[in-house]
Amino acid sequence: MRTIAILLLACAPLACGPIEYVGQVTRRATSEVEAARAVDAAKHAPYWWTRAVEYLHQARVEAAAADFQAANRFGRLAAEAAVQAR
């Protein structure tokens, strides 16, 4: 029983990356990019729009490679750029 508890505690930090990815990239960054798309940010703020779209794409690439720390970082950058684009 004690061995199982130790294993669960040792593996707990490994599960946080995908959970944070869902909140950071799937929800926040994607919705911010969509909000920027709705106000035609590609026309009015092409630099910030391109930056947001490319960071979001790279976040998904990193998540596909199971590098959730990098995916979360790119997701955060995508959300910030999308806010600037709006």
Side-chain angles (χ1 to χ4, degrees), residues 11-24:
C11 293
L14 298 175
C16 294
I19 293 169
E20 186 176 340
Y21 170 80
V22 169
Q24 183 67 36

Side-chain angles (χ1 to χ4, degrees), residues 3-66:
T3 307
I4 294 172
I6 291 172
L7 282 173
L8 287 175
L9 286 175
C11 293
L14 298 175
C16 294
I19 293 169
E20 186 176 340
Y21 170 80
V22 169
Q24 183 67 36
V25 178
T26 304
R27 291 191 180 141
R28 182 170 176 247
T30 302
S31 65
E32 291 290 350
V33 169
E34 289 302 318
R37 182 187 319 267
V39 296
D40 203 18
K43 179 181 176 185
H44 300 292
Y47 171 79
W48 290 107
W49 167 252
T50 303
R51 183 176 169 141
V53 169
E54 292 301 318
Y55 276 145
L56 183 59
H57 173 72
Q58 189 61 34
R60 292 175 176 156
V61 168
E62 296 296 335

